[in-house]
Amino acid sequence: MNAVRIDGKVIAESLRARVARDVALLQANCNVTPGLAVVLVGKDPASSVYVKTKAKQAQAVGFKSKQFLLPSNVGQAELLELIEQLNADDSIDGILVQLPLPVHIDRWRVLEAIDPAKDVDGFHPYNVGRLAAGRPALAPCTPLGVVHLINTVVSDLNGLDVVVIGRSNIVGKPLATLLGDAGCTVTGAQLQTRNLPEICRRADIVIAAAGCAGLVRGDWLKPGAIVIDVGINRAVDSTGTTKIVGDVAFAEASKHASYITPVPGGVGPMTVAYLLANTLSAAISRRNLSLAMGVEDRHVCPPRVLSRILQVDLQHEG
């Protein structure tokens, strides 16, 4: 068996094109342009590159994009004041504070200060709670991207056994919720889980998000399993060259799996694409645009526009 690669770059590009199309419709029919503000504290090289990528893609789909670059020694009060200003700015629909933050700043105090309606990262306790309760919410971008990738290769998730390795608030926990809501039987695991290889061998889908390079081996997999690698790890090969690798031993796993995501080029591009999708969704919901409202209301988009606007699309694209 030789697994088919799930190309996250191509799928993310398709999603971004759909967002750009719907932004143009929103502008033309409702005179609304979504706005995204990204806040970066300090000069971490990886975070700086990531922020620039987000800003570039936001502009490419037609958003208003603002970047706020703050020094690493900025006070927590000053950062919170900026967030309050962005909360009050009606032209901003999405606020993203790039993590990690310096140690002198309380991360949760900052994340909880963001207006939940503008929380396009999906980290605010309000959105976390609504997601857990099965209510409409802004969900974290990486889990949304993972489910989207899975749905490109399997149309019906009902009854499938899934193992999610990793229990982070950013990926593992919300991903388990989304997959459970989609009808999967989800086993949450972590590095300390006993008999982890045997648990994985029973799964139809294995998702690795533990931050441990090469954790999932080929013989951990049931033949034909779908493998989604969320891990991003720096590894040094025998020549001393540093490269990015995932949590899955890719060459081994490819001999057992039916579909597999590469690292890089798998989940990563989908995370940024869903940041755009979440911002579009926030721009719509913040203005109470609804198919149920009358078209004659000049503040409401016509149904033909809203019906095409992507919010959380987990439909099969194959």
Side-chain angles (χ1 to χ4, degrees):
M1 182 177 296
N2 192 14
V4 175
R5 293 192 183 199
I6 303 175
D7 193 332
K9 290 182 179 179
V10 171
I11 297 169
E13 176 57 35
S14 175
L15 178 56
R16 288 195 301 271
R18 292 166 61 189
V19 171
R21 175 203 64 194
D22 292 338
V23 167
L25 288 169
L26 195 61
Q27 291 169 334
N29 291 274
C30 309
N31 195 30
V32 170
T33 298
L36 174 64
V38 180
V39 180
L40 174 64
V41 179
K43 296 182 179 180
D44 177 76
S47 293
S48 297
V49 171
Y50 200 31
V51 165
K52 289 179 181 178
T53 298
K54 292 172 180 177
K56 182 178 179 180
Q57 292 193 17
Q59 292 170 354
V61 298
F63 288 177
K64 295 175 183 176
S65 178
K66 294 184 178 181
Q67 298 179 61
F68 297 86
L69 308 179
L70 306 179
S72 58
N73 62 350
V74 67
Q76 179 169 294
E78 184 178 346
L79 176 56
L80 292 173
E81 182 179 354
L82 172 60
I83 291 173
E84 283 304 311
Q85 292 172 1
L86 295 174
N87 284 342
D89 187 343
D90 197 51
S91 71
I92 296 298
D93 298 291
I95 302 170
L96 182 151
V97 177
Q98 184 67 37
L99 301 177
L101 290 170
V103 294
H104 69 279
I105 293 178
D106 183 341
R107 178 185 66 171
W108 284 112
R109 178 70 182 85
V110 170
L111 294 178
E112 290 174 6
I114 297 172
D115 181 347
K118 299 186 178 187
D119 169 39
V120 289
D121 257 337
F123 296 162
H124 194 285
Y126 177 87
N127 284 316
V128 173
R130 287 183 67 88
L131 182 66
R135 300 289 295 155
L138 288 168
C141 302
T142 298
L144 289 173
V146 168
V147 178
H148 189 127
L149 290 176
I150 294 171
N151 270 280
T152 64
V153 297
V154 58
S155 57
D156 186 5
L157 297 179
N158 274 302
L160 295 184
D161 289 319
V162 181
V163 170
V164 179
I165 308 173
R167 298 181 60 254
S168 73
N169 293 322
I170 295 174
V171 180
K173 291 178 182 178
L175 181 53
T177 299
L178 288 171
L179 290 170
D181 288 347
C184 297
T185 300
V186 182
T187 299
Q190 52 191 319
L191 292 176
Q192 296 82 8
T193 298
R194 296 179 182 178
N195 301 318
L196 184 56
E198 187 59 35
I199 292 172
C200 289
R201 291 187 189 106
R202 298 195 295 266
D204 301 300
I205 302 173
V206 174
I207 302 169
C212 181
L215 171 69
V216 177
R217 316 300 300 189
D219 62 3
W220 287 27
L221 303 173
K222 179 170 73 172
I226 297 170
V227 179
I228 306 294
D229 193 349
V230 185
I232 300 177
N233 310 284
R234 295 185 182 276
V236 180
D237 62 20
S238 57
T239 67
T241 302
T242 300
K243 60 180 181 178
I244 301 298
V245 299
D247 286 359
V248 176
F250 185 85
E252 291 181 24
S254 295
K255 297 177 182 178
H256 296 262
S258 58
Y259 295 94
I260 189 170
T261 58
V263 176
V267 174
M270 295 299 295
T271 298
V272 181
Y274 262 100
L275 170 65
L276 305 178
N278 270 357
T279 302
L280 175 60
S281 179
I284 297 164
S285 61
R286 288 185 58 246
R287 293 168 177 81
N288 296 315
L289 302 178
S290 171
L291 286 172
M293 298 175 118
V295 178
E296 66 279 1
D297 187 332
R298 62 188 177 89
H299 298 294
V300 179
C301 283
R304 65 182 177 82
V305 178
L306 283 177
S307 65
R308 298 180 61 188
I309 296 216
L310 173 68
Q311 297 195 38
V312 180
D313 184 355
L314 305 180
Q315 299 302 312
H316 178 49
E317 295 216 348

